[in-house]
Amino acid sequence: MQNAWRKLIKSLHQKKYRYEEKMFFVEGAKSVAEALQSDFEIAALFGTEKFFQEYNSAFSNSNFYTETVKRADLEQVGTFQTNEYALAVLKMPEKQVLLQPDQWFLALADIADPGNLGTIIRLADWYGIQQIICSSQTTDWYSPKTLNASMGSFLRVKPYYTDLQDFIPKTGLKTYGAVLGGTNLHEIRKFEKKGILLMGNEAKGIPALLLPLLHSQISIPAFGQAESLNVAIATAICLDHLRQKMT
Amino acid sequence: MQNAWRKLIKSLHQKKYRYEEKMFFVEGAKSVAEALQSDFEIAALFGTEKFFQEYNSAFSNSNFYTETVKRADLEQVGTFQTNEYALAVLKMPEKQVLLQPDQWFLALADIADPGNLGTIIRLADWYGIQQIICSSQTTDWYSPKTLNASMGSFLRVKPYYTDLQDFIPKTGLKTYGAVLGGTNLHEIRKFEKKGILLMGNEAKGIPALLLPLLHSQISIPAFGQAESLNVAIATAICLDHLRQKMT
């Protein structure tokens, strides 16, 4: 692997350099192949011979740097230990675009764990949520751990990092927040066609400053003794109810 | 930390030694304190001075080995890197006890990831499932990663490892399996008060040999483009519907 790229990719493990370079990287043959067919701009593509044989059709008209490398090269610069044979360097979108507020948004207040964020991106994609509004303190969308956990869904779901306290009231959307001790989600009969579902930090929940902005505080009923649910699990259950009861 | 215990705990990271010694360990002040008040038999307790000050009441009549150690000792023998200050060595239950089949069981066919198993144990506890039937190939219940992910719920939910192909028909319980392309879970109107919910392996789903044993194949409807959901997420959504629609 060319040394300049090797150094660049290694630097992109760190958030600071991702934003300096305005680039990030995607690993894994399937995600890389999907990225090549997405609207993301590609800076460089690295794959093993096997990758280029299998996925030849995906990049026949490439106008970016391409290099055939050994699997050991990919293991050295990426985060995967084994069994993957492609890596693409992508350019970050120039600016954040906010979608029309005629739909449901997911909003995240200070989600800290990259794996949780990635899982939530995948969930949003499953339930047809097109944009996730992230508080400025939410963990970085473009970290390798987040992107890996999203299983390619980051190619379809768009982030919008902003100050939620400022953002939520401006949308005029009805905002539901998942809390402990709120209205039983099972007893909510219907949801409108648009709104915001707000999920809070893994340990601290929704920040106190945001609670007054909620139109409704909702909770997943417990039937046993566990004290809490993981935030990605809770997001899944809320989104499932949303979609089922949307009229 | 006494050297014999140090060696023992380090060996318990491996499944082989857990079953040879019939012991496993639990980390973290909260889980350890809960373990001390559970029906599990304790072999040894290690905590920092801080732990023994804070949780004094939990083990006033202890008849097991107890040692005050440094945090660095715990970090060296356990899996946590930081911020934890207790570890208990527990004895494995002598034998598996199967609960009465007048309730819902969760059954897992070859779940491979310890984090997923732990998250599913926590979920079962939230939704009041008291026992999880695990195929023999399912990852080990007593591994540190599984126990940590369960957040103490392994103290309440009981495992039963067995051959599912043999087990399921014997129960006489109606068995639902989560698959791709089955009956839409949102359209199922009610569930009985007892049954089995079967979830399959992360990559391969439910093994083909078990499919003929299902009374109903169910699926979580997708509204977007993600190809699949993580197995713990899917389990959560299925259990939520079960509890909501049980009559």
Side-chain angles (χ1 to χ4, degrees):
Chain A
M1 181 180 278
Q2 209 193 65
N3 209 32
W5 282 107
R6 185 190 302 272
K7 277 190 188 165
L8 176 73
I9 296 167
K10 282 191 171 181
S11 79
L12 298 178
H13 285 253
Q14 289 180 259
K15 179 175 176 181
K16 178 186 164 196
Y17 294 108
R18 288 197 291 274
Y19 285 82
E20 269 183 31
E21 302 287 350
K22 296 190 168 53
M23 290 187 202
F24 61 98
F25 66 85
V26 180
E27 299 169 281
K30 194 156 171 297
S31 291
V32 167
E34 278 185 15
L36 292 168
Q37 305 197 311
S38 73
D39 52 4
F40 278 88
E41 200 178 336
I42 313 288
L45 168 66
F46 303 89
T48 61
E49 279 189 24
K50 184 180 169 197
F51 174 78
F52 286 106
Q53 282 159 15
E54 282 184 25
Y55 289 90
N56 189 38
S57 59
F59 47 87
S60 42
N61 296 313
S62 64
N63 55 352
F64 44 80
Y65 181 79
T66 301
E67 187 179 343
T68 304
V69 295
K70 296 203 161 46
R71 184 169 293 193
D73 289 313
L74 297 179
E75 287 170 8
Q76 205 200 344
V77 298
T79 66
F80 283 131
Q81 298 305 303
T82 52
N83 210 24
E84 285 296 346
Y85 42 97
L87 183 151
V89 179
L90 273 63
K91 297 187 184 169
M92 265 186 215
E94 284 288 321
K95 55 175 186 172
Q96 304 191 117
V97 176
L98 183 63
L99 301 183
Q100 289 299 313
D102 58 353
Q103 57 191 297
W104 274 91
F105 294 101
L106 187 56
L108 304 178
D110 309 350
I111 293 295
D113 181 81
N116 283 340
L117 177 58
T119 304
I120 290 171
I121 296 170
R122 184 178 174 191
L123 273 172
D125 191 23
W126 181 271
Y127 283 107
I129 303 287
Q130 299 181 53
Q131 188 154 50
I132 300 180
I133 315 297
C134 300
S135 70
S136 312
Q137 295 306 310
T138 294
T139 190
D140 187 41
W141 189 276
Y142 297 103
S143 80
K145 276 189 192 169
T146 298
L147 300 179
N148 288 340
S150 87
M151 301 286 279
S153 288
F154 79 91
L155 295 164
R156 294 175 288 272
V157 180
K158 303 299 176 196
Y160 192 85
Y161 279 72
T162 188
D163 180 332
L164 293 180
Q165 205 182 350
D166 182 54
F167 175 85
I168 291 174
K170 280 188 188 159
T171 62
L173 290 171
K174 192 163 179 181
T175 301
Y176 292 78
V179 300
L180 291 173
T183 304
N184 182 340
L185 184 62
H186 286 185
E187 288 168 5
I188 298 178
R189 290 282 155 249
K190 62 180 186 178
F191 289 97
E192 292 171 23
K193 285 203 190 310
K194 58 186 182 178
I196 297 174
L197 172 65
L198 174 64
M199 307 297 298
N201 170 271
E202 289 88 343
K204 298 175 196 159
I206 295 176
L209 277 169
L210 298 180
L211 291 177
L213 305 179
L214 299 177
H215 298 86
S216 181
Q217 302 195 7
I218 57 176
S219 294
I220 299 162
F223 297 83
Q225 294 177 71
E227 283 181 15
S228 64
L229 291 170
N230 163 282
V231 64
I233 297 276
T235 305
I237 296 167
C238 290
L239 288 178
D240 189 74
H241 278 265
L242 259 180
R243 282 293 175 203
Q244 184 173 23
K245 300 172 181 175
M246 206 181 292
T247 50
Chain B
M1 182 178 277
Q2 210 193 65
N3 207 33
W5 282 108
R6 184 191 303 275
K7 275 189 188 164
L8 176 73
I9 296 167
K10 281 192 170 177
S11 79
L12 298 179
H13 285 253
Q14 287 179 262
K15 180 176 177 181
K16 180 186 164 197
Y17 294 108
R18 288 195 292 274
Y19 285 84
E20 269 183 31
E21 302 286 349
K22 297 192 169 47
M23 292 188 201
F24 61 99
F25 66 85
V26 180
E27 299 170 282
K30 194 155 170 298
S31 291
V32 167
E34 280 186 12
L36 292 169
Q37 305 197 309
S38 74
D39 52 3
F40 278 88
E41 200 178 337
I42 312 290
L45 169 64
F46 303 89
T48 61
E49 280 187 24
K50 184 181 170 198
F51 174 76
F52 286 105
Q53 282 160 15
E54 282 186 24
Y55 288 91
N56 189 38
S57 60
F59 48 87
S60 42
N61 297 312
S62 65
N63 57 352
F64 44 79
Y65 180 79
T66 301
E67 186 179 344
T68 304
V69 295
K70 295 202 162 46
R71 184 169 293 192
D73 289 314
L74 297 179
E75 287 169 7
Q76 205 199 342
V77 298
T79 65
F80 284 131
Q81 299 304 302
T82 51
N83 210 26
E84 286 295 346
Y85 45 96
L87 184 151
V89 179
L90 274 61
K91 296 187 184 168
M92 266 187 212
E94 283 289 319
K95 55 174 186 173
Q96 305 192 116
V97 176
L98 184 63
L99 301 183
Q100 288 299 317
D102 58 352
Q103 56 192 300
W104 274 91
F105 294 100
L106 187 57
L108 304 179
D110 309 350
I111 293 297
D113 181 79
N116 283 340
L117 176 57
T119 304
I120 290 172
I121 296 170
R122 184 177 174 192
L123 273 171
D125 191 22
W126 180 271
Y127 282 107
I129 302 287
Q130 298 181 53
Q131 188 155 48
I132 301 180
I133 315 298
C134 300
S135 70
S136 312
Q137 296 304 309
T138 294
T139 190
D140 186 40
W141 189 275
Y142 297 103
S143 80
K145 278 190 191 167
T146 297
L147 300 180
N148 287 340
S150 86
M151 302 285 279
S153 288
F154 78 91
L155 294 165
R156 292 174 289 271
V157 179
K158 303 300 176 196
Y160 193 86
Y161 280 71
T162 187
D163 180 331
L164 293 179
Q165 204 182 350
D166 182 53
F167 175 85
I168 291 174
K170 279 188 190 160
T171 63
L173 290 171
K174 194 163 178 182
T175 301
Y176 292 78
V179 301
L180 291 173
T183 304
N184 182 340
L185 184 61
H186 287 185
E187 289 169 5
I188 298 178
R189 289 283 155 250
K190 62 180 185 178
F191 289 98
E192 291 170 24
K193 285 203 189 310
K194 57 186 183 177
I196 296 173
L197 172 64
L198 175 64
M199 307 297 298
N201 171 270
E202 289 87 343
K204 298 174 195 160
I206 294 176
L209 277 170
L210 298 181
L211 291 176
L213 304 180
L214 299 177
H215 297 86
S216 180
Q217 302 196 6
I218 57 176
S219 294
I220 299 161
F223 297 83
Q225 293 174 72
E227 283 181 16
S228 63
L229 291 171
N230 164 282
V231 65
I233 297 277
T235 304
I237 296 167
C238 290
L239 289 178
D240 189 74
H241 278 264
L242 259 180
R243 283 294 175 202
Q244 184 172 23
K245 299 172 182 174
M246 205 182 294
T247 51

